[in-house]
Amino acid sequence: MTDIDVELVNITKKFGELVAVDDVSIQVTRGSFFSILGPSGCGKTTTLKMISGFEEPDNGDVFIGGERVNGVPPNHRRVNMVFQQLALFPLMTVSANVGFGLKMSGVPKADRQARVEEMLEKVDLPGLGDRKPDQLSGGQQQRVAIARCLILDPTVLLLDEPLGALDLKLRDQMKIQLKRLQHEVGTTFIYITHDQSEALVMSDEVAVMNEGHLLQIGAPDELYSNPADYFVASFVGESNAFEGPITHLENGHAVLSADPFDFKSPTHPDIRVGENCRLFIRPERIRLMSSDAGSDALYDNQFPGEIQDVVFDGAVARAFVDLGHNTVITVLVTRTSDTPLPVEGEAVLVGWNALDALCFPE
Amino acid sequence: MTAQDSITTPRKRKFKVPWAIVLPAIPLFLWLSLLIVFPHIRLAILSFLKRGQDIFFLDNFLNIFLGNYLAPFQDPDQLFSRVFFKTVLFSLVNTLLSLIVAYPIAFYLAKVLKGSRKFALLLLLILPYWVSELVRVYAWMNILRETGFLNYLLVNVLGIFDQPVEFLYNNTSLFVVFVYSSVLLMILPIYSSLEGLADEQIQAAEDLGAGPFATFRYVVFPISLPSVTYGCILVFMISAGNYLIPNLIGGKNTLWVTEMIYNRFIISTNWNLGSAYSLILLISTSIMIYLGLRLTGQSLRGVFSEQ
């Protein structure tokens, strides 16, 4: 058990009638980058606050570094937090911001200065110590906020959507930088986000939450290819989604009817005939064929359609195929061969195998 | 039209008054010049002339007389100096007391209360200022005087005292009413600066290991410092220049500089000496504010631009 840095055991938190966090248990491995992913209001921030000590759970226990910390105030937990709006102290210099925690714990000035220098070096901000936070770029402020915490050598660093305030391009850069920084310092990071791509890019493990419940914990790849339920399937990654009752079983496949289409889907012990289910097909699992490929069914599901639009994005392109009846599905076209991109208005066939889809009862 | 005309005409074009800028500035200009600048120029001129002299008599124009400025300090009783010193000291104490009372209220308003309760408390604080200062002072006199509300409560209702006590006309009552009448000027600027302080800043300080005192000392107070200074300047100036409260509440022993100035002008009709008193008060309080700013490493521009 020694390589578990943070452990939540059956944590529950209520605000009046609202159950913000419902019976959540999480183990975070030492040195890992752990994300809690979910839409706003899913309880992820409350969970983070219970780890940091700004909220106390109504039920359950919080362990940090093997010690139970229920009732221990934030300033006595070996956990530090990077806030959503960063919350740098605007009147202090960068050095004073980074050295604040050391000053509070009574580290003498000379020692403090040396460690601040060293820390600024580590986060790639050497020589900027005399500036005020508002003289730095968004990305630099980010790193000051992280340095301010890391200098205290916390067991865990908590990050509350710190990339939210940045613009898209900077956010993409910061994802990589943050991951690299975490790797270098080796501190356990717990990262809160509603952005699935942030969670997938940076994390070793991701916990998906919705409406106070923990739905699944797993590596990004596992969440993507093996989601535990329909919420995870729809929230993590891009999907074509359909909904409808299972009409019958056929050749080991369940058939889901989303009028007027019948989709052959994987079976599952939970899936019964007559039950309403949700079907998800990842865009990269769908094949695009020319309409003259022949009527022989190469795939379990095969439908004619017309290219409505093609969005080109370098190595890949997204084709939006109109199947008629107000149904448009997205197909990812990888540009590995010399085949030309489909053009708008072209008649095509789309196809996928039953096992390429994910099917969940509602 | 000759060729020459066509060249000179544009140059002769009349200067157009930018009315859009000038018109709105007229009231401000009139107010500043008629009510502030001219009276002070006149006070300055009068203060350098002998009693009863005025610049309207041209012979007096060059007879500069410094006696009005020397007289208060040549007085064997040193009445003016003592009263002046007391006024400044009492104003400083009032400023400090107001700050001590105002800061927790401002913090409570800005950081603890939310929504309609906050609005209600703000309204309650501002409400008394809708009536004139005179009415508010009389209200306090009604509370504190021998036959007033407080004595009624203590003698008739609670029975703590056998005899009514005169609470008015001493330093305690003076400070009570002074703080009451100036505390809002301290609360509002501090409140608005604390409003701008994100709760996350306080949490961040706590998260980094700061206790409540250190959080206040390093994170909360520095943010509010310009507003604290602003409030202190307002309260100090208004206390030192107050006439009503020391006169009505303070009684005989608390002679204020403003009362001495009033006496020179109205009782002994020595406008020249009164003018000198006024200018001594104005200039020395200004110097004190300047020194106060320098000592705390601030500038007037910095303090006012934060408001």
Side-chain angles (χ1 to χ4, degrees), chain A residues 85-124:
Chain A
Q85 304 299 328
L86 302 184
L88 295 177
F89 305 129
L91 300 176
M92 296 184 199
T93 61
V94 167
S95 292
N97 264 287
V98 175
F100 185 79
L102 293 180
K103 187 172 176 177
M104 290 304 109
S105 51
V107 175
K109 196 170 179 186
D111 188 16
R112 209 159 70 210
Q113 259 166 353
R115 282 168 70 181
V116 168
E117 292 293 317
E118 192 187 329
M119 196 66 229
L120 286 177
E121 199 87 37
K122 212 179 237 175
V123 296
D124 251 352

mmCIF file of all heavy atoms in Angstrom, chain A residues 85-124:
data_model
loop_
_atom_site.group_PDB
_atom_site.id
_atom_site.type_symbol
_atom_site.label_atom_id
_atom_site.label_comp_id
_atom_site.label_asym_id
_atom_site.label_seq_id
_atom_site.Cartn_x
_atom_site.Cartn_y
_atom_site.Cartn_z
ATOM 1 N N GLN A 85 -8.152 30.155 -11.389
ATOM 2 C CA GLN A 85 -7.716 31.486 -11.839
ATOM 3 C C GLN A 85 -6.288 31.768 -11.374
ATOM 4 O O GLN A 85 -5.867 32.913 -11.289
ATOM 5 C CB GLN A 85 -8.659 32.571 -11.324
ATOM 6 C CG GLN A 85 -10.112 32.369 -11.712
ATOM 7 C CD GLN A 85 -10.334 32.369 -13.204
ATOM 8 O OE1 GLN A 85 -9.620 33.056 -13.935
ATOM 9 N NE2 GLN A 85 -11.288 31.598 -13.674
ATOM 10 N N LEU A 86 -5.564 30.722 -11.015
ATOM 11 C CA LEU A 86 -4.174 30.757 -10.567
ATOM 12 C C LEU A 86 -3.983 31.391 -9.201
ATOM 13 O O LEU A 86 -3.208 30.924 -8.399
ATOM 14 C CB LEU A 86 -3.266 31.445 -11.586
ATOM 15 C CG LEU A 86 -3.267 30.808 -12.979
ATOM 16 C CD1 LEU A 86 -2.262 31.519 -13.863
ATOM 17 C CD2 LEU A 86 -2.970 29.331 -12.929
ATOM 18 N N ALA A 87 -4.695 32.539 -8.951
ATOM 19 C CA ALA A 87 -4.625 33.195 -7.640
ATOM 20 C C ALA A 87 -3.197 33.534 -7.238
ATOM 21 O O ALA A 87 -2.817 33.383 -6.080
ATOM 22 C CB ALA A 87 -5.301 32.336 -6.557
ATOM 23 N N LEU A 88 -2.399 34.006 -8.199
ATOM 24 C CA LEU A 88 -1.081 34.535 -7.832
ATOM 25 C C LEU A 88 -1.309 35.813 -7.047
ATOM 26 O O LEU A 88 -2.278 36.525 -7.273
ATOM 27 C CB LEU A 88 -0.266 34.835 -9.091
ATOM 28 C CG LEU A 88 0.095 33.624 -9.943
ATOM 29 C CD1 LEU A 88 0.837 34.072 -11.202
ATOM 30 C CD2 LEU A 88 0.955 32.651 -9.161
ATOM 31 N N PHE A 89 -0.385 36.124 -6.124
ATOM 32 C CA PHE A 89 -0.537 37.353 -5.340
ATOM 33 C C PHE A 89 -0.054 38.517 -6.195
ATOM 34 O O PHE A 89 1.135 38.620 -6.498
ATOM 35 C CB PHE A 89 0.239 37.242 -4.037
ATOM 36 C CG PHE A 89 -0.141 36.031 -3.231
ATOM 37 C CD1 PHE A 89 0.820 35.165 -2.755
ATOM 38 C CD2 PHE A 89 -1.471 35.752 -2.958
ATOM 39 C CE1 PHE A 89 0.470 34.044 -2.023
ATOM 40 C CE2 PHE A 89 -1.837 34.633 -2.228
ATOM 41 C CZ PHE A 89 -0.862 33.779 -1.755
ATOM 42 N N PRO A 90 -0.963 39.414 -6.604
ATOM 43 C CA PRO A 90 -0.623 40.398 -7.637
ATOM 44 C C PRO A 90 0.423 41.424 -7.211
ATOM 45 O O PRO A 90 1.134 41.953 -8.057
ATOM 46 C CB PRO A 90 -1.963 41.079 -7.935
ATOM 47 C CG PRO A 90 -2.784 40.846 -6.720
ATOM 48 C CD PRO A 90 -2.348 39.542 -6.160
ATOM 49 N N LEU A 91 0.498 41.717 -5.906
ATOM 50 C CA LEU A 91 1.409 42.775 -5.472
ATOM 51 C C LEU A 91 2.809 42.246 -5.194
ATOM 52 O O LEU A 91 3.740 43.021 -4.999
ATOM 53 C CB LEU A 91 0.864 43.462 -4.217
ATOM 54 C CG LEU A 91 -0.517 44.113 -4.407
ATOM 55 C CD1 LEU A 91 -1.024 44.681 -3.097
ATOM 56 C CD2 LEU A 91 -0.457 45.203 -5.451
ATOM 57 N N MET A 92 2.964 40.923 -5.152
ATOM 58 C CA MET A 92 4.283 40.357 -4.865
ATOM 59 C C MET A 92 5.000 40.042 -6.175
ATOM 60 O O MET A 92 4.364 39.775 -7.188
ATOM 61 C CB MET A 92 4.139 39.050 -4.092
ATOM 62 C CG MET A 92 3.526 39.192 -2.727
ATOM 63 S SD MET A 92 3.548 37.565 -1.924
ATOM 64 C CE MET A 92 2.321 37.832 -0.660
ATOM 65 N N THR A 93 6.338 40.053 -6.113
ATOM 66 C CA THR A 93 7.096 39.646 -7.289
ATOM 67 C C THR A 93 6.934 38.143 -7.491
ATOM 68 O O THR A 93 6.418 37.444 -6.628
ATOM 69 C CB THR A 93 8.590 39.946 -7.107
ATOM 70 O OG1 THR A 93 9.039 39.191 -5.984
ATOM 71 C CG2 THR A 93 8.839 41.422 -6.877
ATOM 72 N N VAL A 94 7.418 37.686 -8.636
ATOM 73 C CA VAL A 94 7.385 36.251 -8.916
ATOM 74 C C VAL A 94 8.145 35.485 -7.829
ATOM 75 O O VAL A 94 7.656 34.482 -7.304
ATOM 76 C CB VAL A 94 7.976 35.983 -10.314
ATOM 77 C CG1 VAL A 94 8.246 34.498 -10.515
ATOM 78 C CG2 VAL A 94 7.027 36.498 -11.388
ATOM 79 N N SER A 95 9.320 35.998 -7.469
ATOM 80 C CA SER A 95 10.110 35.333 -6.422
ATOM 81 C C SER A 95 9.345 35.260 -5.104
ATOM 82 O O SER A 95 9.342 34.223 -4.439
ATOM 83 C CB SER A 95 11.416 36.079 -6.164
ATOM 84 O OG SER A 95 12.244 35.965 -7.266
ATOM 85 N N ALA A 96 8.706 36.378 -4.738
ATOM 86 C CA ALA A 96 7.970 36.399 -3.474
ATOM 87 C C ALA A 96 6.793 35.433 -3.521
ATOM 88 O O ALA A 96 6.471 34.779 -2.527
ATOM 89 C CB ALA A 96 7.474 37.809 -3.172
ATOM 90 N N ASN A 97 6.153 35.341 -4.689
ATOM 91 C CA ASN A 97 5.066 34.375 -4.854
ATOM 92 C C ASN A 97 5.571 32.960 -4.646
ATOM 93 O O ASN A 97 4.979 32.182 -3.900
ATOM 94 C CB ASN A 97 4.465 34.489 -6.262
ATOM 95 C CG ASN A 97 3.232 35.366 -6.295
ATOM 96 O OD1 ASN A 97 2.177 34.977 -5.835
ATOM 97 N ND2 ASN A 97 3.398 36.563 -6.814
ATOM 98 N N VAL A 98 6.678 32.640 -5.335
ATOM 99 C CA VAL A 98 7.204 31.278 -5.267
ATOM 100 C C VAL A 98 7.733 30.983 -3.854
ATOM 101 O O VAL A 98 7.578 29.876 -3.343
ATOM 102 C CB VAL A 98 8.297 31.068 -6.333
ATOM 103 C CG1 VAL A 98 8.938 29.697 -6.194
ATOM 104 C CG2 VAL A 98 7.712 31.228 -7.730
ATOM 105 N N GLY A 99 8.317 32.017 -3.216
ATOM 106 C CA GLY A 99 8.903 31.799 -1.894
ATOM 107 C C GLY A 99 7.919 31.911 -0.742
ATOM 108 O O GLY A 99 8.280 31.694 0.413
ATOM 109 N N PHE A 100 6.648 32.247 -1.064
ATOM 110 C CA PHE A 100 5.675 32.522 -0.002
ATOM 111 C C PHE A 100 5.513 31.354 0.977
ATOM 112 O O PHE A 100 5.550 31.541 2.190
ATOM 113 C CB PHE A 100 4.320 32.877 -0.629
ATOM 114 C CG PHE A 100 3.276 33.295 0.361
ATOM 115 C CD1 PHE A 100 3.279 34.578 0.890
ATOM 116 C CD2 PHE A 100 2.294 32.412 0.783
ATOM 117 C CE1 PHE A 100 2.322 34.974 1.803
ATOM 118 C CE2 PHE A 100 1.328 32.800 1.703
ATOM 119 C CZ PHE A 100 1.349 34.084 2.216
ATOM 120 N N GLY A 101 5.366 30.172 0.417
ATOM 121 C CA GLY A 101 5.160 28.996 1.272
ATOM 122 C C GLY A 101 6.347 28.742 2.189
ATOM 123 O O GLY A 101 6.187 28.405 3.366
ATOM 124 N N LEU A 102 7.562 28.949 1.655
ATOM 125 C CA LEU A 102 8.765 28.738 2.474
ATOM 126 C C LEU A 102 8.826 29.777 3.589
ATOM 127 O O LEU A 102 9.177 29.474 4.726
ATOM 128 C CB LEU A 102 10.026 28.857 1.608
ATOM 129 C CG LEU A 102 10.233 27.781 0.548
ATOM 130 C CD1 LEU A 102 11.521 28.039 -0.222
ATOM 131 C CD2 LEU A 102 10.257 26.402 1.177
ATOM 132 N N LYS A 103 8.460 31.025 3.236
ATOM 133 C CA LYS A 103 8.449 32.101 4.232
ATOM 134 C C LYS A 103 7.490 31.757 5.364
ATOM 135 O O LYS A 103 7.797 31.940 6.535
ATOM 136 C CB LYS A 103 8.012 33.393 3.548
ATOM 137 C CG LYS A 103 8.112 34.630 4.392
ATOM 138 C CD LYS A 103 7.836 35.834 3.518
ATOM 139 C CE LYS A 103 7.818 37.096 4.323
ATOM 140 N NZ LYS A 103 7.619 38.279 3.461
ATOM 141 N N MET A 104 6.325 31.208 4.998
ATOM 142 C CA MET A 104 5.327 30.851 5.997
ATOM 143 C C MET A 104 5.816 29.726 6.904
ATOM 144 O O MET A 104 5.450 29.665 8.066
ATOM 145 C CB MET A 104 4.016 30.408 5.315
ATOM 146 C CG MET A 104 3.259 31.513 4.642
ATOM 147 S SD MET A 104 2.864 32.878 5.735
ATOM 148 C CE MET A 104 3.942 34.147 5.145
ATOM 149 N N SER A 105 6.672 28.852 6.352
ATOM 150 C CA SER A 105 7.166 27.785 7.216
ATOM 151 C C SER A 105 8.496 28.167 7.866
ATOM 152 O O SER A 105 9.180 27.315 8.437
ATOM 153 C CB SER A 105 7.272 26.466 6.440
ATOM 154 O OG SER A 105 7.989 26.667 5.254
ATOM 155 N N GLY A 106 8.857 29.470 7.760
ATOM 156 C CA GLY A 106 9.981 29.975 8.530
ATOM 157 C C GLY A 106 11.363 29.658 7.984
ATOM 158 O O GLY A 106 12.337 29.655 8.737
ATOM 159 N N VAL A 107 11.467 29.415 6.698
ATOM 160 C CA VAL A 107 12.783 29.176 6.099
ATOM 161 C C VAL A 107 13.529 30.503 6.008
ATOM 162 O O VAL A 107 12.966 31.497 5.542
ATOM 163 C CB VAL A 107 12.621 28.554 4.688
ATOM 164 C CG1 VAL A 107 13.963 28.412 3.997
ATOM 165 C CG2 VAL A 107 11.910 27.222 4.784
ATOM 166 N N PRO A 108 14.801 30.576 6.475
ATOM 167 C CA PRO A 108 15.533 31.848 6.441
ATOM 168 C C PRO A 108 15.725 32.382 5.019
ATOM 169 O O PRO A 108 15.734 31.623 4.053
ATOM 170 C CB PRO A 108 16.877 31.513 7.085
ATOM 171 C CG PRO A 108 16.928 30.032 7.187
ATOM 172 C CD PRO A 108 15.554 29.517 7.134
ATOM 173 N N LYS A 109 15.859 33.712 4.939
ATOM 174 C CA LYS A 109 15.793 34.401 3.658
ATOM 175 C C LYS A 109 16.816 33.895 2.632
ATOM 176 O O LYS A 109 16.463 33.659 1.471
ATOM 177 C CB LYS A 109 15.990 35.901 3.888
ATOM 178 C CG LYS A 109 15.555 36.718 2.703
ATOM 179 C CD LYS A 109 15.520 38.197 3.023
ATOM 180 C CE LYS A 109 15.107 38.973 1.786
ATOM 181 N NZ LYS A 109 15.183 40.415 1.963
ATOM 182 N N ALA A 110 18.058 33.720 3.058
ATOM 183 C CA ALA A 110 19.120 33.338 2.114
ATOM 184 C C ALA A 110 18.807 31.967 1.496
ATOM 185 O O ALA A 110 18.879 31.787 0.278
ATOM 186 C CB ALA A 110 20.465 33.302 2.833
ATOM 187 N N ASP A 111 18.431 31.050 2.352
ATOM 188 C CA ASP A 111 18.086 29.704 1.920
ATOM 189 C C ASP A 111 16.897 29.735 0.963
ATOM 190 O O ASP A 111 16.877 29.077 -0.075
ATOM 191 C CB ASP A 111 17.746 28.882 3.183
ATOM 192 C CG ASP A 111 17.558 27.407 2.873
ATOM 193 O OD1 ASP A 111 17.976 26.994 1.772
ATOM 194 O OD2 ASP A 111 17.002 26.698 3.729
ATOM 195 N N ARG A 112 15.933 30.610 1.341
ATOM 196 C CA ARG A 112 14.726 30.744 0.553
ATOM 197 C C ARG A 112 15.050 31.201 -0.865
ATOM 198 O O ARG A 112 14.572 30.628 -1.834
ATOM 199 C CB ARG A 112 13.839 31.777 1.239
ATOM 200 C CG ARG A 112 12.385 31.586 1.032
ATOM 201 C CD ARG A 112 11.627 32.300 2.110
ATOM 202 N NE ARG A 112 11.696 33.746 1.991
ATOM 203 C CZ ARG A 112 11.648 34.588 3.027
ATOM 204 N NH1 ARG A 112 11.579 34.121 4.245
ATOM 205 N NH2 ARG A 112 11.684 35.880 2.839
ATOM 206 N N GLN A 113 15.919 32.239 -0.919
ATOM 207 C CA GLN A 113 16.267 32.785 -2.227
ATOM 208 C C GLN A 113 16.884 31.733 -3.128
ATOM 209 O O GLN A 113 16.528 31.616 -4.307
ATOM 210 C CB GLN A 113 17.241 33.952 -2.064
ATOM 211 C CG GLN A 113 16.541 35.285 -2.192
ATOM 212 C CD GLN A 113 17.394 36.427 -1.707
ATOM 213 O OE1 GLN A 113 18.473 36.225 -1.147
ATOM 214 N NE2 GLN A 113 16.926 37.628 -1.934
ATOM 215 N N ALA A 114 17.787 30.949 -2.564
ATOM 216 C CA ALA A 114 18.468 29.929 -3.356
ATOM 217 C C ALA A 114 17.462 28.914 -3.891
ATOM 218 O O ALA A 114 17.500 28.532 -5.065
ATOM 219 C CB ALA A 114 19.525 29.237 -2.491
ATOM 220 N N ARG A 115 16.529 28.527 -3.030
ATOM 221 C CA ARG A 115 15.562 27.516 -3.464
ATOM 222 C C ARG A 115 14.578 28.068 -4.482
ATOM 223 O O ARG A 115 14.112 27.344 -5.376
ATOM 224 C CB ARG A 115 14.843 26.935 -2.244
ATOM 225 C CG ARG A 115 15.724 25.917 -1.512
ATOM 226 C CD ARG A 115 15.188 25.549 -0.171
ATOM 227 N NE ARG A 115 13.961 24.753 -0.248
ATOM 228 C CZ ARG A 115 13.305 24.330 0.837
ATOM 229 N NH1 ARG A 115 13.765 24.617 2.043
ATOM 230 N NH2 ARG A 115 12.214 23.618 0.709
ATOM 231 N N VAL A 116 14.247 29.370 -4.344
ATOM 232 C CA VAL A 116 13.355 29.992 -5.326
ATOM 233 C C VAL A 116 14.035 30.018 -6.695
ATOM 234 O O VAL A 116 13.425 29.653 -7.714
ATOM 235 C CB VAL A 116 12.953 31.416 -4.886
ATOM 236 C CG1 VAL A 116 12.290 32.169 -6.019
ATOM 237 C CG2 VAL A 116 12.013 31.355 -3.684
ATOM 238 N N GLU A 117 15.323 30.422 -6.694
ATOM 239 C CA GLU A 117 16.092 30.439 -7.952
ATOM 240 C C GLU A 117 16.065 29.071 -8.622
ATOM 241 O O GLU A 117 15.804 28.932 -9.816
ATOM 242 C CB GLU A 117 17.559 30.817 -7.679
ATOM 243 C CG GLU A 117 17.763 32.250 -7.226
ATOM 244 C CD GLU A 117 17.422 33.248 -8.319
ATOM 245 O OE1 GLU A 117 17.828 32.987 -9.474
ATOM 246 O OE2 GLU A 117 16.749 34.259 -8.028
ATOM 247 N N GLU A 118 16.335 28.077 -7.818
ATOM 248 C CA GLU A 118 16.406 26.706 -8.308
ATOM 249 C C GLU A 118 15.063 26.270 -8.900
ATOM 250 O O GLU A 118 14.996 25.651 -9.963
ATOM 251 C CB GLU A 118 16.792 25.813 -7.125
ATOM 252 C CG GLU A 118 17.197 24.412 -7.474
ATOM 253 C CD GLU A 118 17.387 23.584 -6.197
ATOM 254 O OE1 GLU A 118 17.782 24.180 -5.162
ATOM 255 O OE2 GLU A 118 17.112 22.384 -6.224
ATOM 256 N N MET A 119 13.999 26.644 -8.182
ATOM 257 C CA MET A 119 12.651 26.260 -8.631
ATOM 258 C C MET A 119 12.287 26.962 -9.937
ATOM 259 O O MET A 119 11.721 26.345 -10.848
ATOM 260 C CB MET A 119 11.634 26.640 -7.542
ATOM 261 C CG MET A 119 10.289 25.977 -7.698
ATOM 262 S SD MET A 119 10.400 24.204 -7.466
ATOM 263 C CE MET A 119 9.511 23.644 -8.894
ATOM 264 N N LEU A 120 12.634 28.257 -10.034
ATOM 265 C CA LEU A 120 12.323 29.002 -11.256
ATOM 266 C C LEU A 120 13.075 28.401 -12.441
ATOM 267 O O LEU A 120 12.562 28.346 -13.567
ATOM 268 C CB LEU A 120 12.689 30.484 -11.092
ATOM 269 C CG LEU A 120 11.747 31.286 -10.205
ATOM 270 C CD1 LEU A 120 12.243 32.715 -10.041
ATOM 271 C CD2 LEU A 120 10.333 31.296 -10.779
ATOM 272 N N GLU A 121 14.301 27.952 -12.165
ATOM 273 C CA GLU A 121 15.099 27.267 -13.184
ATOM 274 C C GLU A 121 14.346 26.019 -13.678
ATOM 275 O O GLU A 121 14.226 25.757 -14.868
ATOM 276 C CB GLU A 121 16.428 26.849 -12.550
ATOM 277 C CG GLU A 121 17.533 26.533 -13.523
ATOM 278 C CD GLU A 121 18.292 27.801 -13.904
ATOM 279 O OE1 GLU A 121 18.480 28.685 -13.027
ATOM 280 O OE2 GLU A 121 18.678 27.889 -15.066
ATOM 281 N N LYS A 122 13.817 25.284 -12.729
ATOM 282 C CA LYS A 122 13.152 24.023 -13.020
ATOM 283 C C LYS A 122 11.911 24.205 -13.880
ATOM 284 O O LYS A 122 11.607 23.391 -14.740
ATOM 285 C CB LYS A 122 12.753 23.342 -11.696
ATOM 286 C CG LYS A 122 12.789 21.832 -11.746
ATOM 287 C CD LYS A 122 12.417 21.268 -10.391
ATOM 288 C CE LYS A 122 13.487 20.362 -9.833
ATOM 289 N NZ LYS A 122 13.162 19.921 -8.471
ATOM 290 N N VAL A 123 11.165 25.310 -13.646
ATOM 291 C CA VAL A 123 9.963 25.524 -14.441
ATOM 292 C C VAL A 123 10.238 26.453 -15.620
ATOM 293 O O VAL A 123 9.324 27.030 -16.205
ATOM 294 C CB VAL A 123 8.780 26.087 -13.613
ATOM 295 C CG1 VAL A 123 8.347 25.087 -12.568
ATOM 296 C CG2 VAL A 123 9.149 27.413 -12.980
ATOM 297 N N ASP A 124 11.538 26.597 -15.959
ATOM 298 C CA ASP A 124 11.883 27.342 -17.165
ATOM 299 C C ASP A 124 11.596 28.831 -17.096
ATOM 300 O O ASP A 124 11.218 29.441 -18.091
ATOM 301 C CB ASP A 124 11.102 26.758 -18.367
ATOM 302 C CG ASP A 124 12.046 26.015 -19.284
ATOM 303 O OD1 ASP A 124 13.259 26.109 -19.053
ATOM 304 O OD2 ASP A 124 11.560 25.336 -20.202
#
